[in-house]
């Protein structure tokens, strides 16, 4: 029998003949496993990717919002650093499959949710990414609005209000949206080139903001001397737990869909090293800049301004404002394309492989990102952290728990690559769904967000007795789903073994050299 896979010396696997999948309704060119010859991303590519994704206005606002909530600079930095290190673990665990098999996240999810069930995980991730795309586009448009306002004068800034915002702000939002759609329409390679070009430049805007604030505030002394509002007592610890979960949730989306990028990795070592060098360092850098700049803004203006565009708008120097925000606009485009368009493009394509291409999936992301009304999600730091980040973090934590348990505990990193694309393989389960993964996800989700409170949720929690768990939503979701899925999969009868994603042996004859 003709071998279907080739296993290379470094452990990476590819299909011997992708053409055999062309007739499957679960296959298209965007979802196809990447051939070894095209897995060329280096350590620098992944480092640049993270620099582009981390150095953006919402990342800055995430750190700055902790100051607005009452933390001092040290408390905020500790919270962010711990969060980044925690989320890096599931991110690297899920990244492994992308590099080994050359598959994107929605195809990876098929191994545990089923060929049809994977849409549950993929579309959940996709709609959250749409929300983030809208938020990033809104803050990018806001930066354009401030830049043009400084150059064009009061006529631009004081334009008539339409639907609660100046029409010139809506125009800036639209321009920023269109630019991003033009880039994504050119495909994944255009995204990679844009990331490499902008990565060395994105820090410039934030450093200009920080430098200006330090000069005006009289150096670091007044900033570091600010004790914050919470102290180190119960007030701090009450805010710390949900804030830590928010820091983790900020990148929990990427902890699922990093296979979308690691599928292009030149080796496991390159993608792991690039991510370890990239995420903690870049996020710590932007956190330090945001914390110091926001604290400095408090010293200068007597208020905690967590939105960098609004803070820059208070500066007296038009040159500083224009240069800084121009750099931030580039940074936000870079981050938005990589973090919030690539994944849902694959996810929507996975739902309808024969109808939705990568480019069309990106357009759908852009449209849904507007319909979500991102200006409301971004309006208040409490809603931003406790409602938006906290709630979706718990949901995605449950999905991550299923994937990590399935790939590392149940499958032991061995997948049947061809079966991920064909309904007559082991990942069809029952009608294309693996009920164990669905149950585990639901249990993890209910435990993690069932007690949601604050913001749009009731003060006593949606399910009152689960309210204490909501402060630890992401961890609860991940651990709950991990345990349930592992137990359900391990306790299956021998007759069901052929239905679940168990360890598979690759034919030795398929090994390449």
């Amino acid at each position: 029998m003709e071998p279907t896979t080739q296993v290379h010396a470094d452990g990476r696997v590819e299909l011997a003949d992708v053409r055999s999948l062309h007739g499957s309704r679960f296959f298209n060119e965007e979802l196809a496993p990447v051939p070894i010859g095209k897995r060329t991303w280096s350590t620098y590519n992944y480092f640049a990717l993270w620099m582009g994704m981390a150095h953006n206005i919402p990342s800055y606002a995430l750190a700055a919002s902790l100051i607005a909530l009452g933390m001092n600079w040290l408390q905020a930095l500790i919270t962010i650093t711990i969060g980044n290190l925690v989320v890096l673990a599931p991110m690297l665990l899920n990244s492994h499959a992308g590099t080994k098999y050359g598959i994107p996240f929605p195809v990876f999810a098929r191994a545990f949710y089923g060929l049809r069930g994977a849409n549950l995980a993929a579309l959940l991730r996709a709609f959250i990414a749409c929300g983030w795309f809208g938020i990033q586009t809104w803050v990018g448009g806001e930066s354009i609005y401030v830049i043009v306002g400084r150059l064009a004068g009061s006529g631009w800034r004081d334009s008539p209000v339409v639907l609660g915002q100046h029409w010139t702000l809506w125009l800036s939002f639209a321009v920023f949206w269109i630019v991003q759609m033009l880039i994504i329409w050119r495909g994944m390679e255009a995204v990679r080139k844009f990331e490499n070009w902008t990565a060395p430049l994105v820090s410039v805007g934030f450093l200009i903001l920080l430098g200006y604030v330090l000069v005006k505030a009289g150096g670091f002394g007044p900033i570091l001397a600010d004790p914050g509002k919470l102290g180190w007592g119960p007030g701090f610890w009450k805010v710390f737990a949900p804030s830590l979960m928010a820091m983790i949730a900020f990148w929990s989306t990427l902890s699922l869909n990093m296979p979308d990028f690691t599928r292009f990795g030149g080796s496991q070592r390159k993608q792991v090293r690039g991510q370890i060098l990239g995420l903690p360092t870049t996020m710590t850098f932007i956190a330090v800049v945001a914390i110091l700049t926001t604290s400095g803004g408090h010293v200068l203006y007597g208020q905690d301004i967590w939105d960098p565009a609004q803070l820059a708008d208070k500066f007296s120097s038009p040159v500083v404002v224009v240069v800084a925000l121009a750099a931030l606009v580039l940074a936000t485009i870079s981050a938005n394309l990589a973090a919030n368009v690539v994944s849902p493009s694959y996810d929507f394509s996975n739902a309808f492989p024969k109808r939705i291409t990568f480019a069309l999936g990106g357009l759908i992301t852009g449209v849904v990102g507007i319909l979500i009304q991102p200006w409301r999600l971004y309006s208040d730091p409490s809603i931003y952290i406790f409602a938006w980040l906290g709630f979706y973090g718990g949901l995605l934590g449950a999905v991550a728990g299923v994937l990590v348990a399935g790939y590392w505990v149940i499958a032991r990193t061995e997948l049947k690559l061809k079966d991920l694309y064909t309904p007559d393989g082991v990942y069809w389960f029952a009608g294309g769904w693996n009920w164990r993964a669905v149950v585990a996800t639901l249990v993890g989700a209910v435990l993690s967000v069932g007690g949601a409170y604050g913001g749009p949720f009731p003060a006593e929690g949606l399910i009152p007795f689960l309210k204490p768990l909501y402060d630890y939503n992401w961890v609860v979701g991940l651990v709950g789903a991990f345990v349930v899925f592992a137990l359900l999969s391990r306790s299956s009868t021998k007759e069901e073994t052929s239905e679940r994603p168990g360890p598979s042996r690759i034919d030795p004859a398929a090994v390449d050299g």
Side-chain angles (χ1 to χ4, degrees), residues 90-121:
M91 193 173 295
L92 292 177
L93 291 175
N94 286 329
S95 293
H96 186 277
T99 304
K100 183 172 181 177
Y101 296 99
I103 54 176
F105 158 65
V107 174
F108 174 44
R110 292 174 180 177
F112 314 108
Y113 284 89
L115 269 70
R116 286 175 173 165
N119 288 321
L120 171 66

Side-chain angles (χ1 to χ4, degrees), residues 57 135-147 156 168-169 171-177 329 332:
I57 295 176
I135 289 174
Q136 295 267 29
T137 303
W138 179 255
V139 297
E142 186 181 46
S143 297
I144 293 177
Y145 170 75
V146 172
I147 291 172
W156 175 270
T168 47
L169 178 55
L171 177 61
S172 301
F173 176 62
V175 169
F176 197 81
W177 185 90
V329 165
T332 302

Side-chain angles (χ1 to χ4, degrees), residues 457-474:
F457 307 116
E460 68 276 8
L462 290 173
I463 304 175
F465 77 90
L466 292 178
K467 180 179 177 180
L469 298 181
Y470 187 62
D471 286 344
Y472 307 92
N473 42 65
W474 182 83

Side-chain angles (χ1 to χ4, degrees), residues 262-278:
T262 59
R263 65 193 297 227
F264 300 101
S267 69
Q268 294 288 3
R269 181 180 180 183
K270 289 177 181 177
Q271 65 91 358
V272 169
R273 187 167 52 186
Q275 293 198 75
I276 291 177
L277 291 174

Side-chain angles (χ1 to χ4, degrees), residues 315-340:
F315 294 171
S316 58
S317 171
V319 174
V320 171
V321 173
V322 171
V323 173
L325 292 186
L328 297 187
V329 165
L330 284 176
T332 302
I333 293 176
S334 175
N336 219 11
L337 292 178
N340 303 315

Side-chain angles (χ1 to χ4, degrees), residues 10-191:
D10 60 1
R12 291 181 297 164
V13 180
E14 68 175 336
L15 284 180
D17 185 8
V18 178
R19 292 174 298 179
S20 63
L21 300 177
H22 284 187
S24 172
R25 66 182 184 275
F26 295 99
F27 173 88
N28 66 25
E29 293 299 330
E30 279 86 6
L31 298 175
V34 178
I36 290 292
K38 293 184 178 180
R39 300 185 203 178
T40 58
W41 284 33
S42 65
T43 296
Y44 174 75
N45 288 137
Y46 288 105
F47 179 81
L49 177 73
W50 272 112
M51 183 177 286
M53 290 194 295
H55 290 185
N56 59 83
I57 295 176
S59 292
Y60 174 105
L62 181 71
S65 64
L66 296 182
I67 301 298
L69 290 172
M71 290 189 185
N72 63 31
W73 69 271
L74 181 59
Q75 292 168 335
L77 183 59
I78 290 174
T79 304
I80 291 171
T81 301
I82 294 174
N84 291 334
L85 293 177
V86 170
V87 80
L88 185 62
M91 193 173 295
L92 292 177
L93 291 175
N94 286 329
S95 293
H96 186 277
T99 304
K100 183 172 181 177
Y101 296 99
I103 54 176
F105 158 65
V107 174
F108 174 44
R110 292 174 180 177
F112 314 108
Y113 284 89
L115 269 70
R116 286 175 173 165
N119 288 321
L120 171 66
L123 292 179
L124 178 63
R125 166 66 180 96
F127 285 116
I128 290 169
C130 290
W132 268 119
F133 174 84
I135 289 174
Q136 295 267 29
T137 303
W138 179 255
V139 297
E142 186 181 46
S143 297
I144 293 177
Y145 170 75
V146 172
I147 291 172
V148 177
R150 280 302 179 102
L151 298 176
S154 60
W156 175 270
R157 298 292 299 274
D158 300 328
S159 62
V161 173
V162 178
L163 299 176
Q165 305 289 349
H166 294 286
W167 74 262
T168 47
L169 178 55
W170 291 121
L171 177 61
S172 301
F173 176 62
V175 169
F176 197 81
W177 185 90
I178 291 170
V179 169
Q180 294 175 105
M181 289 299 101
L182 290 175
I183 295 174
I184 202 68
W185 199 258
R186 296 174 63 89
M188 187 65 184
E189 185 62 18
V191 174

